[in-house]
Amino acid sequence: MKTFNVDVKKVNSQVKVLADVGDMVAGCAKKVNGVISTLGAIGLSDIKPAVEQIQNELNAEKEECEALKEALAKIILLYIQQETGLVGLATSLDALIQGIQNFFENNNNTESDEDVVPFEIDSILYDDVGLYGGDQGDANETSGQDREALYKIIANNVSFIDIDDTDMMDAVLARANEEGCGYMALTNSIFAHFENDPEGFEETFGYSMYNENGDLNYDMLFIDFYSSMDFTIPETGEIDHTGHINFDPREDLTYYDNGELASLDYDPLIDYTGNGTDSADREAYINTFMEQHGLEVKYETDVDVTPSSFQEISEEGNTVIISYHNGYIYDAEGNKKPIENHAMVVTGVTEDGKYIVSSWGQEYYLDPNQEFTMTNDYGEEGTTTISFETVSYR
């Protein structure tokens, strides 16, 4: 069944617009009345009736504005009542307006437009040239020398994978595509830290910050980070901090068909890496990876981020990562993309309180006030949840 969603904030703002128009029309009517009072009786018998007609029409327009304003207020309140059950139906216009104001004041996840100053991070990662941040699927699409370079990175980081085992190498790249969003969000944060220091980047990681095409070397750093952390098997053979057993991917190639994840039943005790990352994983992985490269990380989870506070948090040197579950993100044309579990970098906020995010190398928009119920591949229902993490480097 098709559904629709009303942006209550925008509709509510039209009540004020109608009120302002009504006041303007009333002012015009008063001015016309002043003109009539100055007209004498001699020689103006044809003009005065015409001016009086204008005054009557302006007064009628004012009454129309009042009626539209009241009707729109009733519609908003009825919609809110059906969506939330938070307010009752009032009869007078004053009670309607007060009910709507109470709704906005009592819903902490809804900010007025006046609270949000539009802002977007000024960074080479998120400009109009090339990708808008990294794309976790690009590494899996490489070929030739570029792919061989990634094989070398994987072989260097994962001791039990032979560089000549191309099937195994391809499986690693396929997995990175399927479950690497958290890694890519953190990869973006590393590039943001080094964006004015390409020499420091190369000294830290051992390869150039830019590839041969002059683009940021997303694929190399992403796969370096991913293979360094996600394929580590503890020497003790114990279950790791997430409660899952790290697995040897050589035992799990049947999960893949031509380099793509097959739609088979998933067992986290066999295929740990297909489980993606949560905030605890991301904190542990980035701390370990950057410590290996001589950098200290400050990572915070469950950060209180709002559209109005994002700029200040960002300008303090933090990369803001949003963990988004069971909802939709939208491109610039309004096309929506369903999201079950996804981590993305927040790159800005819009005037109407939406987050701008980097996902799959593209710019998307996310409305924090929209809530959905979605069903996953296993028939399980989940509602929209949002949380934030911040990461910075010393």
Side-chain angles (χ1 to χ4, degrees), residues 148-327:
E148 290 176 4
L150 297 181
Y151 287 172
K152 291 179 181 178
I153 288 286
I154 296 169
N156 184 63
N157 290 334
V158 188
S159 60
F160 53 79
I161 299 180
D162 189 280
I163 193 169
D164 295 324
D165 188 350
T166 57
D167 286 342
M168 190 63 259
M169 292 291 181
D170 292 342
V172 172
L173 296 178
R175 278 191 181 82
N177 175 38
E178 290 294 330
E179 56 109 19
C181 59
Y183 285 100
M184 182 52 77
L186 291 169
T187 296
N188 286 335
S189 76
I190 297 172
F191 274 112
H193 174 70
F194 281 101
E195 71 172 300
N196 297 315
D197 186 18
E199 294 82 7
F201 180 96
E202 186 165 357
E203 181 180 344
T204 300
F205 298 106
Y207 42 85
S208 176
M209 184 170 168
Y210 294 90
N211 60 27
E212 293 181 352
N213 298 322
D215 300 320
L216 288 169
N217 209 348
Y218 287 115
D219 294 345
M220 186 72 75
L221 181 59
F222 170 58
I223 292 302
D224 189 5
F225 180 26
Y226 178 76
S227 60
S228 292
M229 296 295 104
D230 221 78
F231 291 86
T232 302
I233 297 180
E235 294 180 0
T236 61
E238 295 177 353
I239 295 177
D240 73 356
H241 75 280
T242 63
H244 299 135
I245 299 174
N246 286 282
F247 85 117
D248 183 338
R250 289 171 297 184
E251 300 175 358
D252 198 41
L253 285 174
T254 56
Y255 274 66
Y256 288 83
D257 179 17
N258 296 325
E260 297 294 329
L261 185 65
S263 57
L264 301 178
D265 291 338
Y266 170 73
D267 183 352
L269 294 180
I270 297 175
D271 182 3
Y272 162 67
T273 63
N275 217 30
T277 61
D278 58 19
S279 60
D281 295 326
R282 291 189 284 273
E283 181 177 8
Y285 294 160
I286 194 63
N287 273 290
T288 302
F289 183 67
M290 297 310 290
E291 183 180 352
Q292 292 173 354
H293 292 85
L295 286 179
E296 184 181 349
V297 179
K298 181 181 179 183
Y299 202 95
E300 297 187 35
T301 60
D302 296 321
V303 181
D304 184 14
V305 178
T306 66
S308 57
S309 69
F310 169 77
Q311 179 174 353
E312 180 180 355
I313 294 171
S314 176
E315 290 180 340
E316 289 175 351
N318 298 297
T319 294
V320 176
I321 297 174
I322 185 170
S323 183
Y324 189 55
H325 306 275
N326 303 309

